[in-house]
Amino acid sequence: MSDVQQLTDISILRERARHNIENGAVTEGYNADREEILRLLNASLATEWVCVLRYKRHYYMAKGVKAQVAAKEFLEHSEQEAEHADKLAERIVQLGGAPELNPDLLSKNSHAQYVAGNTLKEMVREDLIAERIAIDSYREIIQYIGEKDPTTRRIFEEILAQEEEHADDMADILDGL
Ligand SMILES: [Fe+2]
Ligand SMILES: [Fe+2]
């Protein structure tokens, strides 16, 4: 038996592409559970926005000379979490869904939590915990997607890599406090 995967005949691909063109990027060959993928994307979108807000709060609240390095990281992270949110929202729309940005639902749908934190140490600790939650949930999502939706998986893989950097940054800062 050949180990080359059987490819769909080009005439069938061409014919299929003409059907349901209102579905845009979602073709008949899309074999993931679209509703479930959209649910996971929206939960992750909520996670990212909660992280944007938490890092923003920590950025504004980080005071004193000792907090300067942390404050710079908080700001950078909040900007990167917002970029993650944009990538997820764009993918949701590509898949025919709608990004859920109702503020009342964000903290409910988010994997990570919003913890204000009083001291710099508490803030950094909570950020590290939130990153670790995001890392585990994104890794699970990537495993769930598998080969079913390579584009969505790649988006999660890119985001996951950056969350791991974030966690590492927070762990370094926590070490010095
Ligand atoms: Fe993120
Ligand atoms: Fe992050």
Side-chain angles (χ1 to χ4, degrees), residues 130-143 160:
E131 295 291 354
R132 287 167 57 82
I133 293 169
I135 288 167
D136 268 349
S137 68
Y138 291 157
R139 196 188 294 113
E140 266 187 30
I141 290 171
I142 290 164
Q143 281 163 0
L160 172 62

Side-chain angles (χ1 to χ4, degrees), residues 50-59 62 70-71 73-75 77-78 81 112-117 119-135 163 165-171 173-174 177:
V50 166
C51 290
V52 170
L53 295 171
R54 197 192 57 253
Y55 275 125
K56 280 278 187 191
R57 152 94 184 184
H58 292 176
Y59 166 66
E73 291 292 328
F74 293 157
L75 181 62
H77 287 196
S78 79
E81 310 299 15
Q113 294 156 293
Y114 179 97
V115 180
T119 65
L120 184 63
K121 198 167 181 169
E122 267 176 39
M123 293 182 214
V124 177
R125 208 179 105 83
E126 287 304 326
D127 290 330
L128 176 56
I129 291 168
E131 295 291 354
R132 287 167 57 82
I133 293 169
I135 288 167
E163 308 305 6
E165 284 173 27
H166 289 173
D168 197 41
D169 292 342
M170 289 301 113
I173 292 174
L174 195 60
L177 291 175

Side-chain angles (χ1 to χ4, degrees), residues 154-166:
R154 204 187 60 237
I155 291 167
F156 276 111
E157 283 171 348
E158 284 167 10
I159 295 176
L160 172 62
Q162 202 155 46
E163 308 305 6
E164 287 176 350
E165 284 173 27
H166 289 173

Side-chain angles (χ1 to χ4, degrees), residues 22-163:
E22 68 279 5
N23 289 341
V26 183
T27 62
E28 280 183 48
Y30 185 83
N31 58 12
D33 178 345
R34 203 174 56 95
E35 289 306 316
E36 181 60 7
I37 296 281
L38 285 171
R39 196 188 63 76
L40 294 169
L41 281 163
N42 261 315
S44 307
L45 178 66
T47 299
E48 294 297 340
W49 273 106
V50 166
C51 290
V52 170
L53 295 171
R54 197 192 57 253
Y55 275 125
K56 280 278 187 191
R57 152 94 184 184
H58 292 176
Y59 166 66
Y60 292 126
M61 294 301 284
K63 295 244 167 61
V65 183
K66 258 182 81 183
Q68 272 179 8
V69 177
K72 199 174 147 272
E73 291 292 328
F74 293 157
L75 181 62
E76 193 184 291
H77 287 196
S78 79
E79 287 163 358
Q80 287 169 340
E81 310 299 15
E83 287 168 17
H84 297 168
D86 283 339
K87 284 186 192 167
L88 295 168
E90 281 164 16
R91 186 60 183 157
I92 288 167
V93 173
Q94 273 183 359
L95 291 176
E100 180 57 79
L101 287 170
N102 179 343
D104 290 339
L105 297 177
L106 288 182
S107 67
K108 231 174 72 189
N109 292 343
S110 168
H111 303 122
Q113 294 156 293
Y114 179 97
V115 180
N118 292 313
T119 65
L120 184 63
K121 198 167 181 169
E122 267 176 39
M123 293 182 214
V124 177
R125 208 179 105 83
E126 287 304 326
D127 290 330
L128 176 56
I129 291 168
E131 295 291 354
R132 287 167 57 82
I133 293 169
I135 288 167
D136 268 349
S137 68
Y138 291 157
R139 196 188 294 113
E140 266 187 30
I141 290 171
I142 290 164
Q143 281 163 0
Y144 166 77
I145 296 173
E147 303 302 314
K148 289 177 285 188
D149 181 343
T151 307
T152 303
R153 195 190 60 213
R154 204 187 60 237
I155 291 167
F156 276 111
E157 283 171 348
E158 284 167 10
I159 295 176
L160 172 62
Q162 202 155 46
E163 308 305 6

Side-chain angles (χ1 to χ4, degrees), residues 9-26:
D9 191 81
I10 186 73
S11 62
I12 295 170
L13 281 183
R14 285 177 177 171
E15 191 49 40
R16 269 203 221 154
R18 290 182 182 279
H19 292 150
N20 305 316
I21 60 167
E22 68 279 5
N23 289 341
V26 183

